[in-house]
């Protein structure tokens, strides 16, 4: 463990932020790192529990008490080795993961939990700074050829693991840059894209090939994949959820991911015709998740006149709800850094109509208050509250409603069976579809989920592919059942 009495002596200390006034003037990351001394103290808080529940909270099976102990001792290089033994990309998870490990931390029962995610980010950043993270090409090649479709966290993790097993791996990406939603779906103020680039450079030097602007099944025939011994589908869950609300086709009603990706592309010199902008507009973000939060932060940086956030669910409690006791993922109010930059949050509100002018341009939203009726043994029922109708000015409505599943082009072209949620069907732990040499992992298999689940599934699928091709595998595995998505 860290220091035996560390959890008694030291309080949790998190990174601070650049002031709101300053950070909304640009799209750079705005966290202010802690000193090495402070990070060591945070590692010292780890109790090295008899049963470390942080393991059950982490889909990757990260050896959290082990790397915390190394940080406490100042053994940063050992900490990096331990961290990378279970996580291919801790620089991604250390910035973007909601940290279910921290919600399962035993210390969190009575105190603020260990700052696991921040410790993780500091370990990997120091490792890059010191030059400890170097390409690790395999000593020999098997001669087997594998195609990985999609370069998000699941695809990249699968590709790196399979390459380490000695297979020849080619990653196909339909966009013009590597990274999937990490590249264009995540705003730069949460993760600057140089973070992706430096890791991709490592992967290339390890021997992985990348093919950009290749949309398999669209501008690249699926018949061309017959030359591969195995195929891993990691295309993500990208079918955007919409609404059946009158006026949904109005000019100014926009899918959140279109809005976010355009801004990131412009930042990196891409030309976008008629870019969607929040500048001087009354913006309403419909949907209260992380994507909605990203839209709020981006709207404020673009100079929106006002920003509101609509959520159809009730406002969560400020503390962990009794319905989700430790160590489960808590039902609890989350206030992001983007919320703190300026946003009027509204719960239990439903959009009834998008109001337009004679030219079809959005001018407002008509809403109604709602409540959820709970009847034993029945699904919760949404009930409108009579007399609660209201009209809000709005020139830009951003739909941050999540995704309904993966696109079906590849399943149709390749003959892949779907499950009852329209995801690509493959049993957890096996990742093999109804076509023996085709595997699938990440959001394409499990539905919209967390980045840690994507990396975990990419790693596990790689092992199953290796076993399929070679009869056995030396790639590591994480024991455990199919835990529910968060």
């Amino acid at each position: 463990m860290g220091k035996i009495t560390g959890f008694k002596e030291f309080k949790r200390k998190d990174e601070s932020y650049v002031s709101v006034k300053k950070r909304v003037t640009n799209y750079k990351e705005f966290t202010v790192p802690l000193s090495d001394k402070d990070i060591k103290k945070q590692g010292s808080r780890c109790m090295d529990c008899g049963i470390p529940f942080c393991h059950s909270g982490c889909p990757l099976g990260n050896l959290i008490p082990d790397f915390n102990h190394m940080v406490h001792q100042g053994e940063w290089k050992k900490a990096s080795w331990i961290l990378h033994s279970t996580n291919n990309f801790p620089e991604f998870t250390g910035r973007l993961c909601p940290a279910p490990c921290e919600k399962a931390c035993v210390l969190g029962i009575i105190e603020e939990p260990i700052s696991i995610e921040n410790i993780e980010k500091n370990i990997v950043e120091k490792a890059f700074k010191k030059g400890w993270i170097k390409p690790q090409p395999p000593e020999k090649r098997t001669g087997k050829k594998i195609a990985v479709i999609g370069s998000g966290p699941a695809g990249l993790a699968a590709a790196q693991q399979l390459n380490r097993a000695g297979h020849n791996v080619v990653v196909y990406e339909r966009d013009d840059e590597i990274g999937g939603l990490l590249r264009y779906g995540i705003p730069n103020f949460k993760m600057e894209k140089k973070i992706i680039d430096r890791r991709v450079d490592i992967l290339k030097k390890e021997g992985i090939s990348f093919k950009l602007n290749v949309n398999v099944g669209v501008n690249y025939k699926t018949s061309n994949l017959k030359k591969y011994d195995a195929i891993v589908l990691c295309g993500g869950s990208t079918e955007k959820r919409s609404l059946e609300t009158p006026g949904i086709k109005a000019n100014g009603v926009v899918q959140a991911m279109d809005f976010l990706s355009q801004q990131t592309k412009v930042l990196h010199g891409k030309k976008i015709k008629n870019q969607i902008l929040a500048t001087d507009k009354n913006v309403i973000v419909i949907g209260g998740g992380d994507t909605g939060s990203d839209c709020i932060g981006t709207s404020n940086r673009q100079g929106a006149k006002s920003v509101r956030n609509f959520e159809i669910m009730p406002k969560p409690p400020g503390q962990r709800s009794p319905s989700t006791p430790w160590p489960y993922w808590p039902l609890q109010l989350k206030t992001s850094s983007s919320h703190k930059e300026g946003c009027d949050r509204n719960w239990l509100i439903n959009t009834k109509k998008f109001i337009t002018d004679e030219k079809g341009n959005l001018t407002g939203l008509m809403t109604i208050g709602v409540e959820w009726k709970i009847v034993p043994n029945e699904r919760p029922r949404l009930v409108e509250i009579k007399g609660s109708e209201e009209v809000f000015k709005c020139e830009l409505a951003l739909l941050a409603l999540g995704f309904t599943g993966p696109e079906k082009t590849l399943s149709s072209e390749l003959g892949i069976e779907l499950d009852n949620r329209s995801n690509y069907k493959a049993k957890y732990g096996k990742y093999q579809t109804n076509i023996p040499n085709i595997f699938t992992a990440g959001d394409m298999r499990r539905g919209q989920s967390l980045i840690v689940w994507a990396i975990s599934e990419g790693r596990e699928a790689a092992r199953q592919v290796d076993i399929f091709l070679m009869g056995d595998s030396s790639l590591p595995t994480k024991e455990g059942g199919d835990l529910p998505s968060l």
Side-chain angles (χ1 to χ4, degrees), residues 304-322:
K305 185 182 295 183
S306 69
V307 182
R308 289 181 179 271
N309 190 195
F310 285 176
E311 172 59 66
I312 202 168
M313 299 301 292
K315 182 179 180 179
Q319 302 298 320
R320 181 189 287 269
S321 168

Side-chain angles (χ1 to χ4, degrees), residues 186-203:
I186 302 295
N188 271 33
F189 56 79
K190 287 177 69 173
M191 186 176 73
E192 294 181 32
K193 302 311 174 254
K194 63 184 179 182
I195 303 300
I196 302 174
D197 294 336
R198 68 182 180 186
R199 181 63 75 169
V200 170
D201 184 57
I202 295 284
L203 300 181

Side-chain angles (χ1 to χ4, degrees), residues 79-136:
S80 175
W81 179 85
I82 293 169
L83 181 56
H84 279 90
S85 69
T86 56
N87 186 353
N88 299 66
F89 315 119
E91 66 273 28
F92 302 161
T93 55
R95 287 171 166 82
L96 305 174
C97 181
C101 54
E102 294 186 17
K103 303 304 181 183
C105 174
V106 174
L107 182 58
I109 300 173
I110 58 171
E111 293 277 357
E112 286 293 309
I114 311 302
S115 51
I116 300 168
E117 183 179 25
N118 192 35
I119 291 172
E120 180 179 314
K121 186 174 85 168
N122 277 270
I123 291 171
V124 68
E125 288 305 316
K126 184 174 285 292
F128 268 112
K129 185 178 180 180
K130 295 288 187 180
W132 299 332
I133 299 175
K134 298 178 180 179
Q136 300 178 38

Side-chain angles (χ1 to χ4, degrees), residues 191-363:
M191 186 176 73
E192 294 181 32
K193 302 311 174 254
K194 63 184 179 182
I195 303 300
I196 302 174
D197 294 336
R198 68 182 180 186
R199 181 63 75 169
V200 170
D201 184 57
I202 295 284
L203 300 181
K204 289 178 178 178
K205 290 176 180 177
E206 289 180 343
I208 300 172
S209 297
F210 291 93
K211 305 292 184 182
L212 300 176
N213 297 305
V214 178
N215 194 348
V216 179
V218 179
N219 65 1
Y220 184 88
K221 294 180 179 180
T222 54
S223 58
N224 293 332
L225 299 176
K226 292 180 179 179
K227 62 186 176 183
Y228 292 101
D229 298 290
I231 302 165
V232 189
L233 305 178
C234 300
S237 178
T238 55
E239 290 283 8
K240 307 178 189 75
R241 182 177 280 108
S242 188
L243 297 171
E244 296 181 358
T245 307
I248 188 69
K249 300 295 185 181
N251 298 324
V253 180
V254 177
Q255 283 287 348
M257 204 51 63
D258 296 336
F259 173 69
L260 295 173
S261 61
Q262 283 189 6
Q263 179 57 62
T264 303
K265 287 181 178 181
V266 168
L267 283 176
H268 290 272
K270 315 291 182 181
K271 292 185 178 180
I272 300 296
K273 187 177 180 180
N274 299 321
Q275 183 189 355
I276 303 161
L277 292 169
T279 311
D280 295 327
K281 294 177 182 176
N282 296 293
V283 178
I284 295 179
V285 179
I286 303 176
D290 288 340
T291 301
S293 170
D294 294 343
C295 288
I296 293 165
T298 301
S299 295
N300 281 321
R301 282 162 177 75
Q302 289 184 355
K305 185 182 295 183
S306 69
V307 182
R308 289 181 179 271
N309 190 195
F310 285 176
E311 172 59 66
I312 202 168
M313 299 301 292
K315 182 179 180 179
Q319 302 298 320
R320 181 189 287 269
S321 168
S323 66
T324 53
W326 175 91
Y328 294 106
W329 179 259
L331 173 63
Q332 184 177 346
L333 179 64
K334 179 181 178 181
T335 301
S336 72
S337 58
S338 290
H339 292 137
K340 295 176 182 178
E341 290 167 2
C343 172
D344 183 4
R345 305 174 75 180
N346 301 257
W347 283 269
L348 290 173
I349 189 168
N350 190 24
T351 302
K352 294 291 290 181
K353 182 181 179 180
F354 294 98
I355 303 169
T356 63
D357 61 16
E358 64 278 3
K359 295 182 180 179
N361 296 316
L362 183 68
T363 60

Side-chain angles (χ1 to χ4, degrees), residues 22 62-64 71 76 81 88 136 169 174 176 200 208 212 275 282 304 324 370 381 412 471 484:
K22 185 174 181 180
N62 283 342
L63 304 173
I64 295 165
V71 168
W76 292 91
W81 179 85
N88 299 66
Q136 300 178 38
V169 182
R174 67 180 178 179
D176 59 356
V200 170
I208 300 172
L212 300 176
Q275 183 189 355
N282 296 293
T324 53
V370 296
R381 185 163 54 92
S412 177

